[in-house]
Amino acid sequence: MYEDRILNPELRKLVMSAEEAAAKVKSGMVIATSGFGTGYPKAIPTALAESKHATGLTVLNGAARGDRHIGAMAKAGILKRGYGFQYSKTMRNTINTGKVEYSDLHLGQFVDKIKRGTYGHIDMAIMECSKIREDGGLVPTMSAGISEAIAQLADTILIEINEDLPIDIEGFHDFGAPEGAIVESPSQRLGVDYIKVDTSKIAGIVMTNLPDTDLYYPEATELYDKLSGNVIRVLKNEIASGGIPEHFTFQSGMGVVANLVLVGLVGQGFKDLKMYTEVVSDQALFAVREGIISEVTSTTLDITPIGFEDLLRNIDFFKQHLVLRPLNVTNSAPQIMAQDLVSMNTAWEADIYGNINSSHAMGVQLINGLGGSNDFARNAKLTIFTTPSTAKDDTISRIVPMVPHVDNTEHDVDIIVTECGYADLRGLSPKERAASIIENCAHPAYRQQLWSYFNSAVELCGPCQTPHDLSTALSWYGRYLETGTMKEQG
Amino acid sequence: MYEDRILNPELRKLVMSAEEAAAKVKSGMVIATSGFGTGYPKAIPTALAESKHATGLTVLNGAARGDRHIGAMAKAGILKRGYGFQYSKTMRNTINTGKVEYSDLHLGQFVDKIKRGTYGHIDMAIMECSKIREDGGLVPTMSAGISEAIAQLADTILIEINEDLPIDIEGFHDFGAPEGAIVESPSQRLGVDYIKVDTSKIAGIVMTNLPDTDLYYPEATELYDKLSGNVIRVLKNEIASGGIPEHFTFQSGMGVVANLVLVGLVGQGFKDLKMYTEVVSDQALFAVREGIISEVTSTTLDITPIGFEDLLRNIDFFKQHLVLRPLNVTNSAPQIMAQDLVSMNTAWEADIYGNINSSHAMGVQLINGLGGSNDFARNAKLTIFTTPSTAKDDTISRIVPMVPHVDNTEHDVDIIVTECGYADLRGLSPKERAASIIENCAHPAYRQQLWSYFNSAVELCGPCQTPHDLSTALSWYGRYLETGTMKEQG
């Protein structure tokens, strides 16, 4: 049995039930799991959540989403601390209610911080794989994330082999690149397609057959079409002015705008673009098949079941064009700088001076997390942030006087795009930025109100670089909570 | 004449008065100058300020301080835009009053942005040098900054040769390093000690004899001694726990705390440390002479006349230990990451969650600028920010509920040190960070008030990651302006 999935006969003896594997986890352990959206272990976390024998766990994960993974463990109340990006509603609630202590970070620094011991020594790594080689090398499922680092650092490794994925996904990954080696082109390979491990650390193997099915995309609307149209306009202008080459390399964040920009590239004459990014969506795969994108580096495929089907149908084609690398390669400053990247990320909201809040609703509630947005925004050649100008039927303006939480500072933002237009902030002073953002990005329903704020701040402050009226700068949130809209009455 | 300073006979013919050279600058030009604290041209800017024939100038400068440089031009009203760090009181006032449009940036990205054309095409570079070689190569005075890039990018170059500096300062600089080459040790040399230029671009040479005399250090007080003592304590603990090696490499920002930390290293058993930094002070030179620091990379010497004298007396010794590199090398992310750096910078103020304001007094008035603080904070292995816990006789707390301007986000700050103690924030959730900062860093006079804010924010917000009461988060500034103190009455 499992001869095609576990090529090393000795390791076959370690196959056990998820419950038996989970029993090896003890209270208070620091555990780290594979997975970045996709590719996370499912059976062992679910078993841990059901048995609840081990509590007070610290869990490290590149990007955690799954209900059978971080969601199950958070719901079971067995977590004490969590680190890494998360976009699980259950985990988010657990963090906001203070049941789990969570510390956000630049994802590009996660592996370095893990290695430095910032989160303690890793007792156990739990990895989803599609195969174990004869030499014990691990072939992960469709993400790379922090897997290589945690397999090497953990005392003990538990493995789930997911037979839902065909064995021929082997060949997408690139691990073990020489330290400091720079990726010269997104499809270049620098290492091997498996993770080298000390097999004596493997303590259990669980066979599973569980698809990654919890991803969906929100519906596109006319607003998002306009927004992505404005991003395309920025890109075309930038090519025309010589700011970026015709076949530029870009990063695209997660979410509906990012996906629509990819769709928007179709039929616009773009060809042979390169993508150096953290996450690949269905739309990016589509653009690869259409020849719009010729090479992709990513740390994960965050795709729907439909995208997965497409990937598997054309697996040899995609292996030629797509490389999955560790998070500390995709998101590292030197790598990003070397790509001369166009970075496109979604802002939760922006202020009139160009500061971006990416992580906190109303300044206080964690949404998802910072993720890699500032890894890319900070180190790209051209940095674009997108946001609809309003939310909730225009009762919320996404352009505000002052963001109540800053994840990307004004120093890291070149262009802000909404469905109304875009503001090119490069080289502008704060006052010039305010004028450009209010005129080009704010929704007409809030434009006058923002001008009023700005003008009265200028008057109030006297000589200053960045006018603010600190007594009203954050008042829009209170007004929304009290009256149901950020709009001033009367 | 000048045979020892201008080795190329053809170039000797270009010697002219400062007024003649200044006449070549036309209204509306983009000019870029050498200098980073020290090493800026003096005669031509002064002549420009006096004649006022050219107005509406854009000036790029690595770090501008001099009254005979940025100060003179700002005062004369001939500037329209300014870019780069500035710590000139005159320039600051001109910016705050809106007479000059100024856009702050991460200094480590300045050269890249200049090359990308963010500030327009450079019409003219004005450089202070100590010598021009036979081949036209320029030997700058005691800074590197953006000099290499602007000499290569400008259409025209004007040169001041400052005979106040001895000719044997040649040999401190390292220019023309191969692209992407990583500095493996701070005193390693990768290029040549002069700037290669196209001599046909040199349009005028002015002989000067003007010392850099406008630097002073504020007096140290008991408070600063305590603060630097706490920094030393952090460093010793970190060595003891294996977090940093005994002979660690560090960066140290400008200012009295940074300097006192250097003094504090004396007599504490530190030896053979390495410094990879943006600015070297008198105290750093002293530590080099004492053997506490064995190797230094910096982009400038920001030293007093006394420091200069010491440097010149021991010039051959210092040339062995100290290399001046371009700003885009000293402050580049890949270089800083490769040094495994301990970064120590001064905060203007910090909030209870670890966000740092480095640039704006009361959130609105530009102080100096962001400088390289986040280049280092972001990419160092260990990031320390220091600030006295209070200012102005305790009427201002430097630990506040929310900073009104964020330059270094909570994601880029490991440890905050005040004279009261220090908070190690690594791996802590926002609520844990607040507790640690209030207890360890805040002044006793403000501790209870900060706890009150935090506790009422927790109550008000309900489930949330980062509790804030947005209606009072920034109220401490208003209270100070109204009552003369941030302290709550009664």
Side-chain angles (χ1 to χ4, degrees), chain B residues 32-37 59-65 69 83-87 102 105 107 110-111 114 144-147 150 278 299 327 371:
Chain B
T33 84
S34 70
F36 199 100
V59 174
L60 315 184
N61 188 285
R65 189 189 62 224
H69 174 238
Y83 298 101
F85 186 72
Q86 56 72 37
Y87 49 128
Y102 171 79
L105 81 160
L107 277 184
F110 197 24
V111 167
I114 291 172
I146 62 171
S147 295
I150 63 173
E278 181 184 300
T299 201
L327 181 59

PDB file of all heavy atoms in Angstrom, chain B residues 32-37 59-65 69 83-87 102 105 107 110-111 114 144-147 150 278 299 327 371:
ATOM      1  N   ALA B  32      21.173  69.111  -7.835  1.00  0.00           N
ATOM      2  CA  ALA B  32      21.453  68.124  -6.795  1.00  0.00           C
ATOM      3  C   ALA B  32      22.827  68.429  -6.243  1.00  0.00           C
ATOM      4  O   ALA B  32      23.725  68.793  -7.004  1.00  0.00           O
ATOM      5  CB  ALA B  32      21.410  66.724  -7.387  1.00  0.00           C
ATOM      6  N   THR B  33      22.977  68.309  -4.938  1.00  0.00           N
ATOM      7  CA  THR B  33      24.285  68.652  -4.370  1.00  0.00           C
ATOM      8  C   THR B  33      24.867  67.500  -3.578  1.00  0.00           C
ATOM      9  O   THR B  33      24.154  66.640  -3.086  1.00  0.00           O
ATOM     10  CB  THR B  33      24.210  69.900  -3.447  1.00  0.00           C
ATOM     11  OG1 THR B  33      23.800  69.489  -2.137  1.00  0.00           O
ATOM     12  CG2 THR B  33      23.254  70.956  -3.979  1.00  0.00           C
ATOM     13  N   SER B  34      26.181  67.510  -3.487  1.00  0.00           N
ATOM     14  CA  SER B  34      26.871  66.590  -2.592  1.00  0.00           C
ATOM     15  C   SER B  34      26.541  66.975  -1.162  1.00  0.00           C
ATOM     16  O   SER B  34      25.922  68.012  -0.915  1.00  0.00           O
ATOM     17  CB  SER B  34      28.376  66.679  -2.810  1.00  0.00           C
ATOM     18  OG  SER B  34      28.862  67.924  -2.323  1.00  0.00           O
ATOM     19  N   GLY B  35      26.982  66.153  -0.248  1.00  0.00           N
ATOM     20  CA  GLY B  35      26.846  66.489   1.156  1.00  0.00           C
ATOM     21  C   GLY B  35      25.841  65.624   1.860  1.00  0.00           C
ATOM     22  O   GLY B  35      24.772  65.306   1.335  1.00  0.00           O
ATOM     23  N   PHE B  36      26.226  65.231   3.036  1.00  0.00           N
ATOM     24  CA  PHE B  36      25.346  64.477   3.910  1.00  0.00           C
ATOM     25  C   PHE B  36      25.729  64.945   5.308  1.00  0.00           C
ATOM     26  O   PHE B  36      26.596  64.369   5.946  1.00  0.00           O
ATOM     27  CB  PHE B  36      25.555  62.970   3.717  1.00  0.00           C
ATOM     28  CG  PHE B  36      24.410  62.157   4.220  1.00  0.00           C
ATOM     29  CD1 PHE B  36      23.450  61.667   3.336  1.00  0.00           C
ATOM     30  CD2 PHE B  36      24.252  61.906   5.577  1.00  0.00           C
ATOM     31  CE1 PHE B  36      22.376  60.926   3.796  1.00  0.00           C
ATOM     32  CE2 PHE B  36      23.183  61.176   6.038  1.00  0.00           C
ATOM     33  CZ  PHE B  36      22.245  60.674   5.161  1.00  0.00           C
ATOM     34  N   GLY B  37      25.077  66.026   5.733  1.00  0.00           N
ATOM     35  CA  GLY B  37      25.562  66.709   6.937  1.00  0.00           C
ATOM     36  C   GLY B  37      26.814  67.470   6.552  1.00  0.00           C
ATOM     37  O   GLY B  37      26.770  68.666   6.273  1.00  0.00           O
ATOM     38  N   VAL B  59      15.820  71.276  -5.245  1.00  0.00           N
ATOM     39  CA  VAL B  59      17.132  70.850  -4.753  1.00  0.00           C
ATOM     40  C   VAL B  59      17.054  69.455  -4.147  1.00  0.00           C
ATOM     41  O   VAL B  59      16.221  69.184  -3.272  1.00  0.00           O
ATOM     42  CB  VAL B  59      17.701  71.844  -3.718  1.00  0.00           C
ATOM     43  CG1 VAL B  59      18.988  71.301  -3.105  1.00  0.00           C
ATOM     44  CG2 VAL B  59      17.989  73.184  -4.380  1.00  0.00           C
ATOM     45  N   LEU B  60      17.923  68.571  -4.627  1.00  0.00           N
ATOM     46  CA  LEU B  60      18.062  67.231  -4.065  1.00  0.00           C
ATOM     47  C   LEU B  60      19.363  67.179  -3.278  1.00  0.00           C
ATOM     48  O   LEU B  60      20.396  67.627  -3.758  1.00  0.00           O
ATOM     49  CB  LEU B  60      18.143  66.179  -5.176  1.00  0.00           C
ATOM     50  CG  LEU B  60      17.160  66.261  -6.337  1.00  0.00           C
ATOM     51  CD1 LEU B  60      17.372  65.064  -7.269  1.00  0.00           C
ATOM     52  CD2 LEU B  60      15.737  66.282  -5.832  1.00  0.00           C
ATOM     53  N   ASN B  61      19.293  66.595  -2.085  1.00  0.00           N
ATOM     54  CA  ASN B  61      20.471  66.512  -1.236  1.00  0.00           C
ATOM     55  C   ASN B  61      20.303  65.341  -0.292  1.00  0.00           C
ATOM     56  O   ASN B  61      19.214  65.132   0.236  1.00  0.00           O
ATOM     57  CB  ASN B  61      20.596  67.815  -0.437  1.00  0.00           C
ATOM     58  CG  ASN B  61      21.897  67.849   0.312  1.00  0.00           C
ATOM     59  OD1 ASN B  61      22.055  67.167   1.320  1.00  0.00           O
ATOM     60  ND2 ASN B  61      22.848  68.600  -0.194  1.00  0.00           N
ATOM     61  N   GLY B  62      21.355  64.590  -0.055  1.00  0.00           N
ATOM     62  CA  GLY B  62      21.261  63.428   0.839  1.00  0.00           C
ATOM     63  C   GLY B  62      20.740  63.803   2.204  1.00  0.00           C
ATOM     64  O   GLY B  62      19.725  63.282   2.669  1.00  0.00           O
ATOM     65  N   ALA B  63      21.432  64.729   2.849  1.00  0.00           N
ATOM     66  CA  ALA B  63      21.016  65.220   4.158  1.00  0.00           C
ATOM     67  C   ALA B  63      21.560  66.626   4.285  1.00  0.00           C
ATOM     68  O   ALA B  63      22.772  66.817   4.316  1.00  0.00           O
ATOM     69  CB  ALA B  63      21.556  64.330   5.281  1.00  0.00           C
ATOM     70  N   ALA B  64      20.655  67.582   4.334  1.00  0.00           N
ATOM     71  CA  ALA B  64      21.064  68.981   4.229  1.00  0.00           C
ATOM     72  C   ALA B  64      20.988  69.668   5.585  1.00  0.00           C
ATOM     73  O   ALA B  64      19.978  69.601   6.268  1.00  0.00           O
ATOM     74  CB  ALA B  64      20.167  69.703   3.235  1.00  0.00           C
ATOM     75  N   ARG B  65      22.059  70.303   5.966  1.00  0.00           N
ATOM     76  CA  ARG B  65      22.071  70.981   7.262  1.00  0.00           C
ATOM     77  C   ARG B  65      22.567  72.409   7.175  1.00  0.00           C
ATOM     78  O   ARG B  65      22.090  73.290   7.868  1.00  0.00           O
ATOM     79  CB  ARG B  65      22.957  70.193   8.229  1.00  0.00           C
ATOM     80  CG  ARG B  65      22.873  70.693   9.656  1.00  0.00           C
ATOM     81  CD  ARG B  65      23.908  70.034  10.537  1.00  0.00           C
ATOM     82  NE  ARG B  65      25.250  70.337  10.090  1.00  0.00           N
ATOM     83  CZ  ARG B  65      26.240  69.463   9.995  1.00  0.00           C
ATOM     84  NH1 ARG B  65      26.030  68.210  10.325  1.00  0.00           N
ATOM     85  NH2 ARG B  65      27.430  69.825   9.575  1.00  0.00           N
ATOM     86  N   HIS B  69      24.343  76.531   2.856  1.00  0.00           N
ATOM     87  CA  HIS B  69      23.944  75.598   1.809  1.00  0.00           C
ATOM     88  C   HIS B  69      22.432  75.658   1.684  1.00  0.00           C
ATOM     89  O   HIS B  69      21.861  76.650   1.240  1.00  0.00           O
ATOM     90  CB  HIS B  69      24.476  74.194   2.199  1.00  0.00           C
ATOM     91  CG  HIS B  69      24.049  73.096   1.312  1.00  0.00           C
ATOM     92  ND1 HIS B  69      23.353  72.007   1.793  1.00  0.00           N
ATOM     93  CD2 HIS B  69      24.190  72.905  -0.012  1.00  0.00           C
ATOM     94  CE1 HIS B  69      23.105  71.191   0.769  1.00  0.00           C
ATOM     95  NE2 HIS B  69      23.603  71.700  -0.328  1.00  0.00           N
ATOM     96  N   TYR B  83      14.077  67.781  -1.697  1.00  0.00           N
ATOM     97  CA  TYR B  83      13.994  66.342  -1.417  1.00  0.00           C
ATOM     98  C   TYR B  83      15.251  65.868  -0.713  1.00  0.00           C
ATOM     99  O   TYR B  83      16.344  66.359  -0.986  1.00  0.00           O
ATOM    100  CB  TYR B  83      13.807  65.553  -2.714  1.00  0.00           C
ATOM    101  CG  TYR B  83      12.526  65.906  -3.438  1.00  0.00           C
ATOM    102  CD1 TYR B  83      12.546  66.761  -4.534  1.00  0.00           C
ATOM    103  CD2 TYR B  83      11.311  65.397  -3.010  1.00  0.00           C
ATOM    104  CE1 TYR B  83      11.370  67.089  -5.200  1.00  0.00           C
ATOM    105  CE2 TYR B  83      10.131  65.721  -3.661  1.00  0.00           C
ATOM    106  CZ  TYR B  83      10.161  66.568  -4.764  1.00  0.00           C
ATOM    107  OH  TYR B  83       9.008  66.887  -5.405  1.00  0.00           O
ATOM    108  N   GLY B  84      15.060  64.865   0.152  1.00  0.00           N
ATOM    109  CA  GLY B  84      16.160  64.327   0.949  1.00  0.00           C
ATOM    110  C   GLY B  84      15.961  64.721   2.389  1.00  0.00           C
ATOM    111  O   GLY B  84      15.098  65.536   2.723  1.00  0.00           O
ATOM    112  N   PHE B  85      16.753  64.137   3.258  1.00  0.00           N
ATOM    113  CA  PHE B  85      16.672  64.487   4.671  1.00  0.00           C
ATOM    114  C   PHE B  85      17.159  65.916   4.859  1.00  0.00           C
ATOM    115  O   PHE B  85      18.042  66.381   4.141  1.00  0.00           O
ATOM    116  CB  PHE B  85      17.567  63.527   5.455  1.00  0.00           C
ATOM    117  CG  PHE B  85      17.486  63.663   6.937  1.00  0.00           C
ATOM    118  CD1 PHE B  85      16.365  63.233   7.632  1.00  0.00           C
ATOM    119  CD2 PHE B  85      18.541  64.206   7.659  1.00  0.00           C
ATOM    120  CE1 PHE B  85      16.293  63.338   9.018  1.00  0.00           C
ATOM    121  CE2 PHE B  85      18.474  64.315   9.050  1.00  0.00           C
ATOM    122  CZ  PHE B  85      17.350  63.880   9.716  1.00  0.00           C
ATOM    123  N   GLN B  86      16.552  66.616   5.795  1.00  0.00           N
ATOM    124  CA  GLN B  86      17.061  67.953   6.104  1.00  0.00           C
ATOM    125  C   GLN B  86      17.010  68.152   7.611  1.00  0.00           C
ATOM    126  O   GLN B  86      16.097  67.705   8.270  1.00  0.00           O
ATOM    127  CB  GLN B  86      16.267  69.025   5.350  1.00  0.00           C
ATOM    128  CG  GLN B  86      14.769  69.024   5.569  1.00  0.00           C
ATOM    129  CD  GLN B  86      14.378  69.524   6.923  1.00  0.00           C
ATOM    130  OE1 GLN B  86      14.992  70.438   7.462  1.00  0.00           O
ATOM    131  NE2 GLN B  86      13.350  68.908   7.486  1.00  0.00           N
ATOM    132  N   TYR B  87      18.061  68.745   8.129  1.00  0.00           N
ATOM    133  CA  TYR B  87      17.989  69.145   9.537  1.00  0.00           C
ATOM    134  C   TYR B  87      18.555  70.547   9.703  1.00  0.00           C
ATOM    135  O   TYR B  87      19.380  70.807  10.547  1.00  0.00           O
ATOM    136  CB  TYR B  87      18.585  68.115  10.492  1.00  0.00           C
ATOM    137  CG  TYR B  87      19.963  67.559  10.182  1.00  0.00           C
ATOM    138  CD1 TYR B  87      20.961  67.584  11.147  1.00  0.00           C
ATOM    139  CD2 TYR B  87      20.250  66.951   8.969  1.00  0.00           C
ATOM    140  CE1 TYR B  87      22.211  67.047  10.906  1.00  0.00           C
ATOM    141  CE2 TYR B  87      21.504  66.422   8.717  1.00  0.00           C
ATOM    142  CZ  TYR B  87      22.475  66.477   9.676  1.00  0.00           C
ATOM    143  OH  TYR B  87      23.713  65.949   9.423  1.00  0.00           O
ATOM    144  N   TYR B 102       8.003  69.826   0.114  1.00  0.00           N
ATOM    145  CA  TYR B 102       8.981  68.827   0.533  1.00  0.00           C
ATOM    146  C   TYR B 102       8.290  67.486   0.665  1.00  0.00           C
ATOM    147  O   TYR B 102       7.184  67.396   1.200  1.00  0.00           O
ATOM    148  CB  TYR B 102       9.577  69.248   1.882  1.00  0.00           C
ATOM    149  CG  TYR B 102      10.450  68.208   2.537  1.00  0.00           C
ATOM    150  CD1 TYR B 102      11.770  68.017   2.111  1.00  0.00           C
ATOM    151  CD2 TYR B 102       9.966  67.415   3.576  1.00  0.00           C
ATOM    152  CE1 TYR B 102      12.577  67.065   2.713  1.00  0.00           C
ATOM    153  CE2 TYR B 102      10.773  66.467   4.183  1.00  0.00           C
ATOM    154  CZ  TYR B 102      12.078  66.294   3.742  1.00  0.00           C
ATOM    155  OH  TYR B 102      12.870  65.347   4.345  1.00  0.00           O
ATOM    156  N   LEU B 105      11.095  60.747   2.529  1.00  0.00           N
ATOM    157  CA  LEU B 105      11.231  59.386   1.975  1.00  0.00           C
ATOM    158  C   LEU B 105      12.216  58.573   2.788  1.00  0.00           C
ATOM    159  O   LEU B 105      12.965  59.118   3.591  1.00  0.00           O
ATOM    160  CB  LEU B 105      11.690  59.460   0.519  1.00  0.00           C
ATOM    161  CG  LEU B 105      13.197  59.679   0.272  1.00  0.00           C
ATOM    162  CD1 LEU B 105      13.538  59.239  -1.129  1.00  0.00           C
ATOM    163  CD2 LEU B 105      13.593  61.110   0.512  1.00  0.00           C
ATOM    164  N   LEU B 107      15.526  57.188   3.094  1.00  0.00           N
ATOM    165  CA  LEU B 107      16.745  57.624   2.407  1.00  0.00           C
ATOM    166  C   LEU B 107      17.391  56.514   1.590  1.00  0.00           C
ATOM    167  O   LEU B 107      18.019  56.771   0.566  1.00  0.00           O
ATOM    168  CB  LEU B 107      17.748  58.184   3.424  1.00  0.00           C
ATOM    169  CG  LEU B 107      17.529  59.642   3.829  1.00  0.00           C
ATOM    170  CD1 LEU B 107      18.652  60.090   4.746  1.00  0.00           C
ATOM    171  CD2 LEU B 107      17.437  60.561   2.619  1.00  0.00           C
ATOM    172  N   PHE B 110      16.456  56.747  -1.948  1.00  0.00           N
ATOM    173  CA  PHE B 110      16.576  58.050  -2.622  1.00  0.00           C
ATOM    174  C   PHE B 110      17.256  57.920  -3.985  1.00  0.00           C
ATOM    175  O   PHE B 110      16.761  58.426  -4.994  1.00  0.00           O
ATOM    176  CB  PHE B 110      17.340  59.012  -1.708  1.00  0.00           C
ATOM    177  CG  PHE B 110      17.199  60.471  -2.062  1.00  0.00           C
ATOM    178  CD1 PHE B 110      16.119  60.953  -2.771  1.00  0.00           C
ATOM    179  CD2 PHE B 110      18.174  61.383  -1.649  1.00  0.00           C
ATOM    180  CE1 PHE B 110      15.996  62.303  -3.070  1.00  0.00           C
ATOM    181  CE2 PHE B 110      18.064  62.732  -1.935  1.00  0.00           C
ATOM    182  CZ  PHE B 110      16.978  63.187  -2.653  1.00  0.00           C
ATOM    183  N   VAL B 111      18.388  57.248  -4.022  1.00  0.00           N
ATOM    184  CA  VAL B 111      19.122  57.147  -5.290  1.00  0.00           C
ATOM    185  C   VAL B 111      18.295  56.405  -6.336  1.00  0.00           C
ATOM    186  O   VAL B 111      18.230  56.830  -7.499  1.00  0.00           O
ATOM    187  CB  VAL B 111      20.501  56.484  -5.077  1.00  0.00           C
ATOM    188  CG1 VAL B 111      21.131  56.093  -6.402  1.00  0.00           C
ATOM    189  CG2 VAL B 111      21.418  57.434  -4.307  1.00  0.00           C
ATOM    190  N   ILE B 114      15.722  58.802  -7.571  1.00  0.00           N
ATOM    191  CA  ILE B 114      16.351  59.803  -8.447  1.00  0.00           C
ATOM    192  C   ILE B 114      16.570  59.193  -9.834  1.00  0.00           C
ATOM    193  O   ILE B 114      16.235  59.790 -10.851  1.00  0.00           O
ATOM    194  CB  ILE B 114      17.698  60.286  -7.853  1.00  0.00           C
ATOM    195  CG1 ILE B 114      17.459  61.129  -6.588  1.00  0.00           C
ATOM    196  CG2 ILE B 114      18.489  61.091  -8.885  1.00  0.00           C
ATOM    197  CD1 ILE B 114      18.736  61.494  -5.832  1.00  0.00           C
ATOM    198  N   ALA B 144      29.689  60.696   1.386  1.00  0.00           N
ATOM    199  CA  ALA B 144      29.465  60.061   0.074  1.00  0.00           C
ATOM    200  C   ALA B 144      28.038  60.361  -0.394  1.00  0.00           C
ATOM    201  O   ALA B 144      27.821  60.903  -1.469  1.00  0.00           O
ATOM    202  CB  ALA B 144      29.713  58.562   0.158  1.00  0.00           C
ATOM    203  N   GLY B 145      27.045  60.009   0.443  1.00  0.00           N
ATOM    204  CA  GLY B 145      25.657  60.367   0.160  1.00  0.00           C
ATOM    205  C   GLY B 145      25.217  59.979  -1.241  1.00  0.00           C
ATOM    206  O   GLY B 145      25.400  58.858  -1.689  1.00  0.00           O
ATOM    207  N   ILE B 146      24.649  60.962  -1.952  1.00  0.00           N
ATOM    208  CA  ILE B 146      24.135  60.695  -3.297  1.00  0.00           C
ATOM    209  C   ILE B 146      25.108  61.188  -4.375  1.00  0.00           C
ATOM    210  O   ILE B 146      24.773  61.235  -5.552  1.00  0.00           O
ATOM    211  CB  ILE B 146      22.749  61.355  -3.509  1.00  0.00           C
ATOM    212  CG1 ILE B 146      22.827  62.892  -3.383  1.00  0.00           C
ATOM    213  CG2 ILE B 146      21.729  60.817  -2.503  1.00  0.00           C
ATOM    214  CD1 ILE B 146      21.534  63.617  -3.788  1.00  0.00           C
ATOM    215  N   SER B 147      26.328  61.543  -3.959  1.00  0.00           N
ATOM    216  CA  SER B 147      27.263  62.219  -4.865  1.00  0.00           C
ATOM    217  C   SER B 147      27.556  61.433  -6.136  1.00  0.00           C
ATOM    218  O   SER B 147      27.587  61.993  -7.236  1.00  0.00           O
ATOM    219  CB  SER B 147      28.575  62.501  -4.126  1.00  0.00           C
ATOM    220  OG  SER B 147      28.343  63.410  -3.081  1.00  0.00           O
ATOM    221  N   ILE B 150      24.485  61.489  -8.594  1.00  0.00           N
ATOM    222  CA  ILE B 150      24.147  62.779  -9.224  1.00  0.00           C
ATOM    223  C   ILE B 150      25.236  63.227 -10.196  1.00  0.00           C
ATOM    224  O   ILE B 150      24.939  63.847 -11.213  1.00  0.00           O
ATOM    225  CB  ILE B 150      23.841  63.880  -8.182  1.00  0.00           C
ATOM    226  CG1 ILE B 150      25.041  64.193  -7.304  1.00  0.00           C
ATOM    227  CG2 ILE B 150      22.622  63.488  -7.347  1.00  0.00           C
ATOM    228  CD1 ILE B 150      24.849  65.386  -6.380  1.00  0.00           C
ATOM    229  N   GLU B 278      24.678  54.918   8.890  1.00  0.00           N
ATOM    230  CA  GLU B 278      24.507  56.031   7.952  1.00  0.00           C
ATOM    231  C   GLU B 278      25.407  57.206   8.344  1.00  0.00           C
ATOM    232  O   GLU B 278      25.896  57.929   7.495  1.00  0.00           O
ATOM    233  CB  GLU B 278      23.025  56.445   7.991  1.00  0.00           C
ATOM    234  CG  GLU B 278      22.607  57.561   7.082  1.00  0.00           C
ATOM    235  CD  GLU B 278      21.134  57.915   7.315  1.00  0.00           C
ATOM    236  OE1 GLU B 278      20.271  57.039   7.128  1.00  0.00           O
ATOM    237  OE2 GLU B 278      20.852  59.061   7.708  1.00  0.00           O
ATOM    238  N   THR B 299      27.970  56.567   5.507  1.00  0.00           N
ATOM    239  CA  THR B 299      27.937  57.411   4.303  1.00  0.00           C
ATOM    240  C   THR B 299      28.455  58.810   4.600  1.00  0.00           C
ATOM    241  O   THR B 299      28.650  59.600   3.684  1.00  0.00           O
ATOM    242  CB  THR B 299      26.529  57.467   3.664  1.00  0.00           C
ATOM    243  OG1 THR B 299      26.676  57.865   2.284  1.00  0.00           O
ATOM    244  CG2 THR B 299      25.605  58.462   4.361  1.00  0.00           C
ATOM    245  N   LEU B 327      25.051  56.357  -0.130  1.00  0.00           N
ATOM    246  CA  LEU B 327      23.830  56.167   0.649  1.00  0.00           C
ATOM    247  C   LEU B 327      23.047  54.942   0.183  1.00  0.00           C
ATOM    248  O   LEU B 327      22.423  54.240   0.985  1.00  0.00           O
ATOM    249  CB  LEU B 327      22.976  57.432   0.484  1.00  0.00           C
ATOM    250  CG  LEU B 327      21.649  57.538   1.203  1.00  0.00           C
ATOM    251  CD1 LEU B 327      21.831  57.419   2.706  1.00  0.00           C
ATOM    252  CD2 LEU B 327      20.975  58.854   0.855  1.00  0.00           C
ATOM    253  N   GLY B 371      14.510  60.192   7.456  1.00  0.00           N
ATOM    254  CA  GLY B 371      15.888  59.752   7.315  1.00  0.00           C
ATOM    255  C   GLY B 371      15.969  58.276   6.978  1.00  0.00           C
ATOM    256  O   GLY B 371      15.115  57.728   6.283  1.00  0.00           O
TER     257      GLY B 371
END
